[in-house]
């Protein structure tokens, strides 16, 4: 990035709207086309009414976009929280779906309050404490769970109630018992999603999936089938949008299950938001940096409002956000426009939404799940190191066998044990030792003593991000011991961005041992110049 580019950043607020409304409206429209089916699909898969996801995206667009600390993220419901919300509805409702829904709304409101407080107390760096392999493992496990549950919907079959493993084991039975016309719609949707990138069309693939599904639903008279058999395979929302609003029920506020839901929603939602916002900043052609604390505060406010009127929890969603960037969005007004368009559709054209087959939405989610848990994801983690793959797999197994929080905790504990096994001092596990001194004018030397790890580098991160731009920084690792992948990844991004702002960085110290051929793998250091 050239320095002159930095002086030509898009304006924010009303001046940004006046200057960039055309590009932001177009991007917001294209994101809206993607968001509509995904909001519906995430809602249904979460055990919520289909309108709940749209409520959340509207709040995220109209409200959160105006107060957030990010520039190009899109706020709304996401597949990553399906497992959390569905589990909360089941546990809190104890068989009563509507009661579970309202109890979970209360948990979302309280989780939003926690997120608001986290942002106010400047805990926006929370995501730094979670190793990349653990986060990827969590997301891959969520992907596998989505595939397991939504495969049955795509086939038009309702599995017998039971555990996650029971749901997985019932997939062969659902294949043999599938409803042919529903399965055709589902498999056509998957085929479109897989092949559409080859066509290189500017029309978002989810739009084609939904339109194709609606065409076949009309051909098979699925609406009439619902009347005759009492089983609906189509989305159903009210003609009056406000009729889909529900108020939360706080009567289980003092139960263990309620607070388990609150902590899981706030923690997983916050991690996903912070990771997505950081990733989108890397995609931003202007390389603007988001205020993570403000962003977390804004999402917390959004969740309080969404939960209070019947919506799902929201995050800064990475897929829609990355598409927003690719469509040429310049400011947060694209997020606003996407929310406004969703509001107009549910108010003015609810009958169109009621013609969307649930099998099409299930196909979208199965494809999303596959992308989270694809073989390429496993290969990418292995490329960083066998230790990263072990943590990744253990996290997946932990999530599938227990729940999200325990699975993530298991992955983190394993990572800490590996670091201790490699010889990290116990006192160095959560505390980092380094100095930053001015060697001569405009030249700083950073000296590391001991290890820099995911569990201790927040102080290092804060110190480096507070340095003035345009200087020379020498990273002296000759007295260092272990530098893990998380820290290497951070340093890689920091050095790239610092150089882009006119600075210069040099690393001193050669690795005695690296744990893979990947340039950002963990390494043991020895004295030498590089």
């Amino acid at each position: 990035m050239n320095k002159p580019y930095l002086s030509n950043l898009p304006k924010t607020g009303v001046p940004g709207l006046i200057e960039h409304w055309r590009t932001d409206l177009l991007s917001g429209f294209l994101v809206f086309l993607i968001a509509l089916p995904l909001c519906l699909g995430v809602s249904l898969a979460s055990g919520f009414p289909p309108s709940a996801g749209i409520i959340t995206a509207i709040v995220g667009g109209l409200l959160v976009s105006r107060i957030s600390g990010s520039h190009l993220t899109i706020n709304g419901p996401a597949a990553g929280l399906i497992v959390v919300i569905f589990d909360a509805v089941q546990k809190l409702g104890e068989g009563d779906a509507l009661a579970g829904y309202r109890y979970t709304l209360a948990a979302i409101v309280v989780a939003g309050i926690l997120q608001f407080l986290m942002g106010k107390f400047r805990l926006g760096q929370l995501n730094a404490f979670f190793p990349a392999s653990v986060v990827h493992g969590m997301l891959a496990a969520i992907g596998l769970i989505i595939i397991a549950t939504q495969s049955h919907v795509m086939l038009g079959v309702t599995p017998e109630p039971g555990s996650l493993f029971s749901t997985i084991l019932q997939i062969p039975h659902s294949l043999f018992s599938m409803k042919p016309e529903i399965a055709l719609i589902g498999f056509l949707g998957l085929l479109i999603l897989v092949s559409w990138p080859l066509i290189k069309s500017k029309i978002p693939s989810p739009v084609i999936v939904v339109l194709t599904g609606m065409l076949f639903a009309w051909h098979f008279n699925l609406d009439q089938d619902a009347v005759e058999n009492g089983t609906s395979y189509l989305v159903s929302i009210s003609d009056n949008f406000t009729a889909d609003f529900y108020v939360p029920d706080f009567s289980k506020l003092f139960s263990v299950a309620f607070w388990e839901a609150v902590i899981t929603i706030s923690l997983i939602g916050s991690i996903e938001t912070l990771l997505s916002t950081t990733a989108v900043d890397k995609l931003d052609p202007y390389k603007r940096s988001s205020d993570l604390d403000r962003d977390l505060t804004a999402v917390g406010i959004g969740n309080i409002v969404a939960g209070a009127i019947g919506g799902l929890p929201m995050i800064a969603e990475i897929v829609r956000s990355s598409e927003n960037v690719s469509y040429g969005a310049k400011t947060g007004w694209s997020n606003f426009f996407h929310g406004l368009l969703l509001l107009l559709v549910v108010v003015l054209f609810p009958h169109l939404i009621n013609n969307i087959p649930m099998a099409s939405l299930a196909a979208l989610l199965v494809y999303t799940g596959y992308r989270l848990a694809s073989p390429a994801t496993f290969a990418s983690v292995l490329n960083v190191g066998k230790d990263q793959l072990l943590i990744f797999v253990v996290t997946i197994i932990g999530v599938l066998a227990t729940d999200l929080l325990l699975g993530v905790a298991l992955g983190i504990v394993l990572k800490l044990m590996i670091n201790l096994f490699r010889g990290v001092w116990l006192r160095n596990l959560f505390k980092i030792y380094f100095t930053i001194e001015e060697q001569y004018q405009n030249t700083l030397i950073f000296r590391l003593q001991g290890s820099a790890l995911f569990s201790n580098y927040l102080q290092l991160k804060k110190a480096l991000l507070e340095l003035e731009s345009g200087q020379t920084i020498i990273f002296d690792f000759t007295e260092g011991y272990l530098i893990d992948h998380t820290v290497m990844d951070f340093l890689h991004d920091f050095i790239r961005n610092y150089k882009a702002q006119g600075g210069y960085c040099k690393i001193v110290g050669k690795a005695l041992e690296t744990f893979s051929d990947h340039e950002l793998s963990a390494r043991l250091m020895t004295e030498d110049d590089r």
Side-chain angles (χ1 to χ4, degrees):
M1 179 179 63
N2 297 322
K3 290 182 71 176
Y5 202 37
L6 285 170
S7 63
N8 194 31
L9 296 178
K11 298 174 183 176
T12 58
V14 175
L17 173 63
I18 295 171
E19 184 174 334
H20 300 293
W21 71 268
R22 291 178 180 84
T23 54
D24 285 345
L25 177 59
L26 175 60
S27 180
F29 172 72
L30 293 171
V31 172
F32 145 76
L33 294 177
I34 299 172
L36 177 60
L38 288 175
C39 287
L40 294 168
V42 171
S43 295
L44 292 167
S46 301
F48 271 34
S51 56
I54 297 178
I55 290 172
T56 300
I58 291 172
V59 173
L62 300 187
L63 172 62
V64 176
S65 72
R66 299 299 84 225
I67 60 176
S68 77
S70 58
H71 303 279
L72 297 177
T73 56
I74 299 295
N75 299 101
L81 286 173
I82 288 175
V83 178
V84 177
I85 301 303
F86 184 79
D87 188 55
V89 172
Q90 297 295 309
K91 287 182 178 178
L92 293 172
E94 298 178 338
D96 187 334
L98 180 58
Y101 166 44
R102 294 186 60 211
Y103 293 138
T104 304
L105 290 178
I108 292 169
V109 171
V110 178
I113 294 172
L114 288 183
Q115 289 178 311
F116 173 82
L117 294 174
M118 288 163 63
K120 285 299 181 182
F121 284 102
R122 307 191 66 80
L123 297 178
Q125 303 297 328
L126 174 72
N127 64 310
F129 188 76
F130 294 84
S133 52
V134 171
V135 174
H136 290 313
M138 177 191 76
L139 294 175
I142 289 171
L144 292 172
I145 294 171
I146 291 172
I147 292 171
T149 55
Q150 291 303 299
S151 295
H152 300 282
V153 180
M154 205 177 77
L155 297 169
V157 178
T158 302
E160 293 294 326
S163 67
L164 171 63
F165 292 105
S166 170
T167 303
I168 295 173
L169 292 174
Q170 290 182 65
I171 291 177
H173 178 266
S174 292
L175 283 168
F176 286 108
S177 307
M178 65 182 175
K179 191 172 178 62
E181 54 267 44
I182 303 300
L184 176 61
I185 292 172
F187 282 119
L188 273 176
L190 277 183
L191 180 61
I192 291 168
L193 291 167
V194 171
S195 60
W196 200 249
L198 302 176
I199 301 174
K200 297 182 179 179
S201 171
K202 293 185 178 180
I203 303 174
S205 56
V207 177
I208 305 302
V209 171
V210 168
L211 291 177
T212 303
M214 292 171 69
L215 177 63
F216 277 88
W218 169 79
H219 176 72
F220 292 130
N221 290 318
L222 291 187
D223 54 345
Q224 185 63 32
D225 190 58
V227 173
E228 293 175 356
N229 301 320
T231 302
S232 178
Y233 298 101
L234 302 177
V235 172
S236 177
I237 67 170
S238 174
D239 290 339
N240 178 6
F241 182 50
T242 57
D244 287 326
F245 288 4
Y246 284 83
V247 294
D249 185 342
F250 289 91
S251 60
K252 290 205 172 184
L253 181 63
F254 299 104
S255 70
V256 174
F258 181 88
W259 283 98
E260 182 181 344
V262 167
I263 293 171
T264 308
I265 293 168
S266 61
L267 183 60
I268 303 302
S270 298
I271 294 170
E272 285 205 60
T273 290
L274 296 170
L275 290 173
S276 296
T277 302
T278 303
V280 173
D281 282 350
K282 296 178 183 179
L283 299 175
D284 182 2
Y286 295 94
K287 300 304 178 188
R288 292 166 288 188
S289 296
S290 297
D291 184 335
L292 295 179
D293 295 312
R294 182 178 171 185
D295 208 44
L296 193 54
T297 301
V299 168
I301 293 172
N303 281 331
I304 294 170
V305 174
I309 60 177
L312 284 161
M314 72 180 66
I315 67 166
E317 207 280 327
I318 183 62
V319 175
R320 275 158 268 171
S321 298
S322 60
E323 292 296 341
N324 187 43
V325 175
S326 69
Y327 292 143
K330 297 293 190 295
T331 74
W333 286 105
S334 59
N335 189 7
F336 179 88
F337 286 130
H338 124 274
L340 180 61
L341 290 167
L342 283 168
L343 176 61
L344 292 175
V345 166
V346 295
V347 170
L348 301 177
F349 308 107
H351 59 282
L352 288 178
I353 296 176
N354 288 332
N355 288 316
I356 298 175
M358 289 189 286
S360 296
L361 303 179
L364 289 172
L365 293 176
V366 167
Y367 184 67
T368 300
Y370 172 77
R371 292 175 66 179
L372 290 172
S374 69
T377 303
F378 284 76
S380 176
V381 175
L382 175 60
N383 190 37
V384 179
K386 292 180 180 178
D387 57 329
Q388 302 297 309
L389 181 65
L390 175 63
I391 297 166
F392 175 78
V393 171
V394 167
T395 302
I396 292 175
I397 295 172
V399 171
L400 295 179
T402 57
D403 58 37
L404 278 171
L405 286 181
L406 288 176
V408 168
L410 184 63
I412 291 174
V413 169
L414 176 59
K415 175 71 170 177
L416 292 172
M417 290 175 62
I418 289 174
N419 286 339
L420 288 173
F421 177 78
R422 286 175 172 168
V424 173
W425 314 321
L426 188 60
R427 61 187 173 90
N428 200 181
L429 206 57
F430 297 103
K431 182 175 176 60
I432 192 169
Y433 300 91
F434 68 90
T435 59
I436 299 179
E437 301 172 354
E438 187 171 16
Q439 191 175 47
Y440 37 85
Q441 189 174 11
N442 292 328
T443 299
L444 302 174
I445 184 163
F446 168 93
R447 288 190 175 90
L448 173 69
Q449 293 94 39
S451 300
L453 314 166
F454 82 94
S455 52
N456 70 12
Y457 88 107
L458 278 180
Q459 184 183 352
L460 158 66
K461 183 175 183 179
K462 181 179 179 181
L464 291 179
L465 292 178
E466 289 177 350
L467 296 178
E468 292 183 11
S469 59
Q471 302 184 88
T472 294
I473 303 176
I474 299 174
F475 291 94
D476 186 349
F477 293 150
T478 54
E479 296 180 20
Y481 179 65
L482 176 66
I483 305 175
D484 75 5
H485 167 64
T486 301
V487 178
M488 289 301 302
D489 190 44
F490 163 71
L491 289 174
H492 176 266
D493 289 338
F494 172 81
I495 291 172
R496 181 192 61 194
N497 293 334
Y498 198 77
K499 287 181 177 179
Q501 296 173 35
Y504 175 75
C505 298
K506 178 184 178 182
I507 294 178
V508 175
K510 183 178 180 181
L512 173 68
E513 180 183 357
T514 57
F515 296 96
S516 81
D517 293 331
H518 194 280
E519 62 174 342
L520 302 181
S521 70
R523 59 205 58 219
L524 293 172
M525 304 304 298
T526 186
E527 294 187 13
D528 198 350
D529 283 355
R530 181 168 68 183

